[in-house]
Amino acid sequence: MLKQSIHAAAKKMQIDFAEVTENINHMGERGSSREEILLSYLEKYIPIKYEMNNGVIIDATGEQSRQQDIIIYDSFNSPVLLNMQSTKMIPIESVFSVIKVKSSLNKVEINKCVNNISSVKSLVKDSLDGINSPTAGFVFAFTSSTTLETLLDNLVEANNEVEKHKQISALCVLDKGLIVNVSKKGLKDITLLPNEDTTPAIIKNTAENNLMLFYLLLMQYLNQSSVSVPNLLKYANAGELLNIEYSIPKKHVPLDGYYELDGGRVELDTAYSIMKGSKLLKKMEDGTASLRDIMLYLSRHLMEILTYTEQAYGSKSTDIEIYGKDYKVSDLERAIVVYNKLNNGEEVNKQELDFYTKLSNDMYTHYQSQVLLSKQ
């Protein structure tokens, strides 16, 4: 019964396509009609859990595929990120397969198909559970003015620029036959995910049987593949939907936590310890700090700042920028020793005092210049 139904569908598709070709001259309308012909057939035989639409596919990094004629995706769990009458935007994690539909296939159109499907298979899948089959890419054409052998030559040439796993799964020319990938070991098992152990082969048959085989290959892949729920927060953070920035009041900051910065890791207790000098920091940020305030803050927190920097960037710093100028850490440490001696009423020799005075005055001069710039 299924065979007779599909054979009847194949004959009707050819009639419908002939009418479209004869009556519609505008290429855009003709393209839409050929896709509708194939869609109307597939919708009769593909289970309802599979949704089919045209549109683009996107991943969580913000990369997009080229426009797809038919996207087959999970209709139960997949969010449609953009849902307009003219096009849809589907997350790659929800996509089982894509189909590129052509009126007639030739070398130019094969190159377009190869690049189109490669743009889908280049997208990164990042599902919540990590379970995701690769996306299959099919090509369906109603006819071709060239032989299947020539089309295979064209496909092999186009594939030279594309990695194996990004290549077309199967190609059907309704009135001629199919080009599929078969295992090199035995040369008979059809594989819908091309790899280094597969090679392309030709299957010639009647239009009815070609459509039957195309349907069976598509259903076989849909039945054996798995999709998953996309991590929508990663899509949001990619900037395609919205930007998410967290804010935690100081009294609720978990001191046993950490955050990541430029590949490094900063412990929150270190950052919080630095912020304990918030009154001094506020004066410095307001532009009201004295030289003594700056030196007092550095004497209390220089080691913590260095620890913070090392955690963030993965290496110890020999220089540190303060108010737009780099200072050697060793010079700052030496100045702090002198500052503490002066603060405690200890004796300081002239060489130490001259060094301290020069460095601290230079730092304060840069601080004041930064304050003036911020007020302009």
Side-chain angles (χ1 to χ4, degrees), residues 171-183:
L171 184 155
C172 175
V173 181
L174 184 60
D175 63 354
K176 291 185 181 296
L178 287 88
I179 297 176
V180 297
N181 297 283
V182 298
S183 172

Side-chain angles (χ1 to χ4, degrees), residues 61-328:
T61 70
E63 291 296 317
Q64 295 183 19
S65 73
R66 300 185 180 191
Q67 180 75 17
Q68 301 301 309
D69 296 331
I70 299 176
I71 304 171
I72 304 177
Y73 62 96
D74 177 11
S75 65
F76 294 157
N77 300 304
S78 173
V80 177
L81 303 181
L82 176 65
N83 194 347
M84 300 175 65
Q85 187 173 2
S86 59
T87 191
K88 305 255 187 301
M89 184 175 287
I90 312 294
I92 182 63
E93 292 82 3
S94 304
V95 178
F96 291 96
S97 177
V98 295
I99 305 175
K100 192 65 182 170
V101 186
K102 292 292 181 182
S103 299
S104 181
L105 206 58
N106 55 33
K107 182 175 182 178
V108 172
E109 296 302 328
I110 279 183
N111 284 332
K112 292 178 181 178
C113 291
V114 167
N115 292 330
N116 187 286
I117 287 173
S118 176
S119 77
V120 175
K121 294 192 173 190
S122 297
L123 298 178
V124 178
K125 295 192 175 188
D126 189 0
S127 59
L128 287 173
D129 59 14
I131 300 173
N132 256 119
S133 300
T135 301
F138 293 85
V139 174
F140 183 92
F142 288 88
T143 188
S144 177
S145 59
T146 60
T147 65
L148 281 177
E149 287 81 4
T150 300
L151 291 175
L152 176 58
D153 290 342
N154 300 153
L155 181 62
V156 170
E157 182 180 343
N159 278 340
N160 287 333
E161 306 299 322
V162 179
E163 297 171 90
K164 271 281 190 178
H165 67 280
K166 297 180 182 178
Q167 294 176 7
I168 293 169
S169 299
L171 184 155
C172 175
V173 181
L174 184 60
D175 63 354
K176 291 185 181 296
L178 287 88
I179 297 176
V180 297
N181 297 283
V182 298
S183 172
K184 293 178 182 177
K185 300 174 181 178
L187 298 177
K188 62 179 182 177
D189 294 328
I190 296 176
T191 302
L192 295 176
L193 296 174
N195 57 64
E196 296 301 329
D197 292 325
T198 62
T199 191
I202 291 171
I203 300 174
K204 294 183 178 181
N205 220 312
T206 63
E208 294 85 355
N209 286 334
N210 291 334
L211 183 61
M212 182 76 176
L213 182 54
F214 178 80
Y215 165 76
L216 292 175
L217 290 174
L218 179 60
M219 277 306 306
Q220 177 179 312
Y221 189 78
L222 294 179
N223 287 331
Q224 73 185 31
S225 61
S226 300
V227 297
S228 187
V229 179
N231 189 335
L232 293 180
L233 288 181
K234 287 197 173 181
Y235 277 83
N237 280 328
E240 294 298 325
L241 302 179
L242 65 146
N243 291 320
I244 297 177
E245 293 184 1
Y246 298 103
S247 174
I248 302 175
K250 186 167 67 174
K251 65 180 179 180
H252 295 300
V253 173
L255 298 184
D256 58 346
Y258 67 89
Y259 66 90
E260 296 176 347
L261 177 67
D262 292 338
R265 181 168 128 170
V266 178
E267 303 295 336
L268 291 180
D269 58 349
T270 301
Y272 184 74
S273 178
I274 296 173
M275 293 302 295
K276 284 181 180 178
S278 58
K279 289 183 179 179
L280 289 172
L281 269 180
K282 189 173 187 312
K283 290 178 71 175
M284 291 158 66
E285 290 169 356
D286 290 345
T288 59
S290 65
L291 173 57
R292 185 179 184 282
D293 291 330
I294 295 173
M295 291 307 303
L296 178 60
Y297 182 82
L298 286 175
S299 69
R300 290 177 177 176
H301 300 292
L302 179 62
M303 293 307 298
E304 291 165 348
I305 292 171
L306 293 174
T307 300
Y308 175 96
T309 304
E310 183 177 353
Q311 289 177 349
Y313 299 104
S315 61
K316 291 184 177 181
S317 298
T318 57
D319 298 279
I320 186 170
E321 183 181 323
I322 300 178
Y323 302 117
K325 182 175 179 178
D326 288 335
Y327 293 90
K328 290 186 178 299

